Amino acid sequence: MVGLILLLCCCTTVVDGFLHHGNSNQVSPAASSAASSPSHLKAFHWPTLPSFDKVQSESSTTRTVGERNGLDEEYPWRFEGRFIFRPSLVRITPSTSLPLSANLLSLFGYSLGGSVVLEYDVSPVGPYREYVNMGGVVGLGKVSVGGETNKRLLGLGQWGTDLFVSTQVAEDVCQQVWGVPAQVADIDFDEEGNFIQDGPDDEVVGRSGVTMRKFKLSGWANTRVLSSEELQKQQKRRVGNIPIFWTPTIKALWAPISFPKVSHDATQEELLPVHKLRLSASAMRLKQCKRIGQSEGGIPLGLALVVDDVLIEIGERVNSGSL
């Protein structure tokens, strides 16, 4: 989850964190554990936006791929846990791979990338970890919202080049339900450490004899902003309900602004499928984060946005109407 999230989240709170004690967006522990429970979150109504014209866990294996565990019928899938976004300036060269049906944006030969690392306690396929390499800022994503004549452009987002998950069932649900080209990797979290450290990356041979990527995060305890007591309090509130557009096939998140069809040559097959997402959380911090073994030409910024007790809700693919 991404620089775009950083910008959107900063609209709702200050940098040194938030823990809202109002009367909206309550998710009790009971509600978090029951997929069929009605939502305790204040329903978000999409505004009229500018529109011009290590190994798979046993609990995971018993779940059905694509299980709907949402708290809101408009968002049938939910994920809960915590994540970090470690921003980095990424060097853009003529050999840099480009996203499909979107423009990679850069300034003086650099774009904003980095990595996003997530730990899901709750998901449609049980707990798992996720590591995403972010390729840069993108614009003018060409999407279809149903039919040859209903094409739109998304304004500004951030694109992920590679997405890795820690279990096979997580890879399956990503590929089969949302079309995300996910890959299984060994994602290791070490709780010890005075600050967060991303890396070094490596390769290992899995149980099946296949070589896979390995990612190591140290100081992961620093991502647990809230104590276990705070997480269990009935007065706990999530705030945000931040709307986001998601184009899963290119692993990109977008600001919730779209533009009407313009003249372009993209065929229906080249247009990106799009979903609506909703993001809420209980706490956010900026913390020191060191990158070990960064890619050539990358400039890490030495910090990470840490978001704890996050709730990510995913809607169905938009197939009709408008964004």
Side-chain angles (χ1 to χ4, degrees):
M1 263 125 218
V2 254
L4 171 63
I5 292 179
L6 171 59
L7 295 175
L8 292 171
C9 286
C10 286
C11 295
T12 66
T13 186
V14 295
V15 159
D16 57 353
F18 58 87
L19 182 59
H20 183 67
H21 296 284
N23 295 321
S24 65
N25 299 346
Q26 179 178 7
V27 178
S28 68
S32 297
S33 62
S36 60
S37 300
S39 174
H40 287 247
L41 294 169
K42 182 179 179 181
F44 174 79
H45 299 288
W46 281 77
T48 302
L49 296 167
S51 178
F52 306 91
D53 228 34
K54 183 155 234 199
V55 177
Q56 180 176 330
S57 67
E58 293 181 3
S59 61
S60 308
T61 60
T62 62
R63 291 176 176 267
T64 302
V65 171
E67 177 182 342
R68 293 169 178 255
N69 66 337
L71 302 171
D72 185 325
E73 63 180 10
E74 293 186 21
Y75 297 87
W77 299 283
R78 89 179 192 276
F79 296 76
E80 299 181 25
R82 63 206 50 82
F83 73 84
I84 68 167
F85 167 52
R86 180 193 59 77
S88 179
L89 297 180
V90 179
R91 180 69 174 170
I92 305 302
T93 68
S95 62
T96 299
S97 61
L98 300 176
L100 174 69
S101 300
N103 298 327
L104 180 59
L105 307 179
S106 63
L107 182 64
F108 304 119
Y110 285 88
S111 191
L112 181 64
S115 61
V116 176
V117 188
L118 308 99
E119 181 179 33
Y120 294 126
D121 302 321
V122 174
S123 86
V125 291
Y128 72 92
R129 299 165 180 176
E130 187 172 305
Y131 191 104
V132 189
N133 288 317
M134 306 307 299
V137 177
V138 289
L140 300 181
K142 303 175 181 67
V143 300
S144 170
V145 290
E148 180 67 28
T149 61
N150 204 350
K151 304 175 182 178
R152 299 191 69 82
L153 292 174
L154 302 183
L156 189 68
Q158 195 171 36
W159 159 62
T161 57
D162 300 284
L163 186 148
F164 301 90
V165 294
S166 61
T167 69
Q168 183 61 54
V169 71
E171 179 190 86
D172 294 341
V173 74
C174 286
Q175 294 180 355
Q176 298 175 24
V177 178
W178 301 299
V180 180
Q183 308 169 59
V184 174
D186 184 346
I187 305 174
D188 182 26
F189 290 168
D190 184 353
E191 298 285 324
E192 300 297 323
N194 295 326
F195 56 87
I196 302 168
Q197 179 174 296
D198 182 359
D201 305 340
D202 201 352
E203 290 187 344
V204 296
V205 178
R207 289 189 173 183
S208 62
V210 177
T211 299
M212 65 173 66
R213 295 287 301 275
K214 178 175 182 177
F215 301 94
K216 182 177 179 60
L217 278 292
S218 302
W220 191 254
N222 293 283
T223 67
R224 305 181 191 281
V225 176
L226 301 175
S227 67
S228 57
E229 291 77 14
E230 288 174 315
L231 286 170
Q232 293 171 4
K233 282 183 178 179
Q234 293 295 326
Q235 288 80 19
K236 177 172 66 76
R237 302 289 190 275
R238 288 190 177 104
V239 299
N241 278 346
I242 300 171
I244 301 171
F245 291 149
W246 180 43
T247 50
T249 55
I250 65 167
K251 306 168 292 294
L253 297 175
W254 302 80
I257 299 176
S258 67
F259 304 89
K261 174 186 174 183
V262 296
S263 177
H264 57 72
D265 298 329
T267 65
Q268 190 69 22
E269 290 73 26
E270 293 173 321
L271 296 175
L272 303 171
V274 60
H275 296 248
K276 292 179 180 179
L277 266 65
R278 193 165 61 182
L279 176 70
S280 304
S282 293
M284 181 172 69
R285 303 285 191 275
L286 278 178
K287 295 198 175 187
Q288 180 184 0
C289 182
K290 185 177 181 180
R291 171 62 175 161
I292 304 296
Q294 62 270 18
S295 60
E296 182 178 355
I299 304 176
L301 302 184
L303 51 80
L305 173 70
V306 177
V307 181
D308 196 9
D309 191 35
V310 68
L311 171 65
I312 302 170
E313 300 173 280
I314 301 179
E316 296 276 11
R317 175 179 177 178
V318 180
N319 282 318
S320 61
S322 64
L323 294 175

